[in-house]
Amino acid sequence: MDSSVTSTDTTVSAFVPAPASPYQGDIARYWDQEARPVNLRLGDVDGLYHHHYGIGDVDLAALGDSGDAAYDKRLVAELHRLESAQAEVLLDHLGTIGRDDLLVDAGCGRGGSMVMAHQRFGCSVEGLTLSAKQADFGNRRAHELGIEDRVHSRVCNMLDMPFETGQAAGSWNNESSMYVDLEDLFAEHSRVLRVGGRYVTITGCWNPRYGQPSKWVSQINAHFECNIHSRREYLRAMADNRLVPQAVIDLTPDTLPYWELRATSSLVTGIEEAFINSYKDGSFQYVLIAADRV
């Protein structure tokens, strides 16, 4: 990690547009004030700051002896590896992207996935966030990597994207769609994507087969001040907005090891039990949906 990047995250943008609704104002304030060690310490491992969870098997050999003084540092590095593996899977599903293409990260957080997308495809990546603090952090990191001409975050409502119709080759929401109405969200992704462009989301959603959101899902909503949708709502809203799913993948078994490891770490936030229990009882699912704009 570049030593000039710190986790203090104190600067704010000179211009911050007014939120479209009181709720969006609440969300902007929430993320402007957020400074959880679980997000910052994991990003400090290699300078990729994510705001999502991990997938894949835990590398027990990399963790080593739990009684070792350096064990917690290795555990944090392993959690971060699983986070980056999740982002790689999302990028895998974007299809063929050229250097001259534009990708859009709707709900970009501090920009880790955007950096990974540019490093993989060489393309331009625009990120949208309601948080001025997050946008500044991501732009500082892009500048220090020397990619600020290709990777840029801005304070913007993802339901009103500042792009021309058909401008984007691909777009995604990585654990950010629970903050908006899905019909409005997918209408806007459909507008900015070119015909044949690819949209991908990885998200937690409640399982319609459970009947209604469980108490665990309600706890997650309260913790993050969000509104988790059902899997059925995602598919219905995509169909309404010319987004045709090409892949629907249940990642629940793949994310459970991340949560079980995180629950043993020094970075617990108190929400780990709700995720683990809801994944195990089937009331909550972690899914990837990739859809083409037709």
Side-chain angles (χ1 to χ4, degrees):
M1 174 185 170
D2 189 319
S3 60
S4 62
V5 178
T6 67
S7 305
T8 54
D9 220 7
T10 56
T11 60
V12 295
S13 296
F15 171 70
V16 180
S21 69
Y23 173 73
Q24 289 187 334
D26 289 342
I27 298 307
R29 285 187 291 272
Y30 176 93
W31 287 109
D32 278 339
Q33 295 168 10
E34 183 275 332
R36 292 191 184 95
V38 72
N39 290 321
L40 296 169
R41 279 186 58 196
L42 269 62
D44 286 345
V45 171
D46 62 5
L48 290 171
Y49 291 85
H50 298 301
H51 278 275
H52 59 253
Y53 309 127
I55 59 173
D57 293 329
V58 173
D59 185 345
L60 297 177
L63 289 178
D65 184 356
S66 61
D68 191 315
Y71 177 77
D72 189 65
K73 182 177 180 180
R74 294 195 299 269
L75 189 153
V76 168
E78 181 64 5
L79 288 173
H80 181 66
R81 183 186 70 81
L82 297 175
E83 281 189 318
S84 291
Q86 189 261 33
E88 293 285 7
V89 168
L90 187 151
L91 298 179
D92 287 344
H93 285 82
L94 284 171
T96 302
I97 302 295
R99 293 184 59 85
D100 294 330
D101 286 332
L102 171 68
L103 295 176
V104 176
D105 183 350
C108 62
R110 291 183 173 94
S113 297
M114 298 166 63
V115 173
M116 292 175 66
H118 171 72
Q119 290 173 340
R120 178 185 291 208
F121 301 116
C123 62
S124 296
V125 190
E126 289 279 345
L128 312 176
T129 174
L130 291 174
S131 168
K133 190 175 181 181
Q134 289 184 344
D136 282 328
F137 191 102
N139 286 333
R140 288 201 311 273
R141 186 62 186 138
H143 175 75
E144 285 150 2
L145 291 170
I147 57 175
E148 69 271 22
D149 61 329
R150 305 288 275 172
V151 176
H152 178 253
S153 301
R154 67 177 80 194
V155 181
C156 182
N157 178 2
M158 69 174 78
L159 303 181
D160 185 19
M161 301 186 197
F163 309 116
E164 297 177 6
T165 298
Q167 186 177 352
S171 62
W172 71 83
N173 286 95
N174 197 350
E175 297 181 18
S176 56
S177 54
M178 62 287 297
Y179 287 101
V180 292
D181 177 87
L182 292 181
E183 288 284 349
D184 294 341
L185 176 66
F186 294 148
E188 190 64 351
H189 277 288
S190 182
R191 183 188 68 81
V192 302
L193 282 169
R194 68 192 184 197
V195 174
R198 173 65 59 87
Y199 170 77
V200 181
T201 185
I202 296 181
T203 187
C205 57
W206 65 269
N207 186 354
R209 292 186 178 180
Y210 192 81
Q212 287 291 329
S214 68
K215 65 179 180 179
W216 304 118
V217 172
S218 297
Q219 287 183 22
I220 296 168
N221 275 334
H223 184 85
F224 293 105
E225 299 184 23
C226 63
N227 180 33
I228 292 167
H229 307 287
S230 73
R231 187 182 64 231
R232 181 182 297 143
E233 290 175 272
Y234 279 91
L235 297 175
R236 182 185 300 127
M238 286 183 180
D240 290 344
N241 290 284
R242 304 182 67 85
L243 294 170
V244 178
Q246 304 300 308
V248 181
I249 303 172
D250 184 358
L251 296 173
T252 307
D254 302 290
T255 196
L256 195 52
Y258 165 89
W259 283 102
E260 291 176 332
L261 180 63
R262 176 167 147 174
T264 69
S265 75
S266 62
L267 300 174
V268 293
T269 63
I271 199 61
E272 288 78 12
E273 180 185 19
F275 276 91
I276 292 169
N277 288 338
S278 62
Y279 286 144
K280 287 184 173 180
D281 71 15
S283 63
F284 193 45
Q285 295 178 308
Y286 197 56
V287 300
L288 178 149
I289 306 173
D292 286 347
R293 167 67 164 89
V294 298

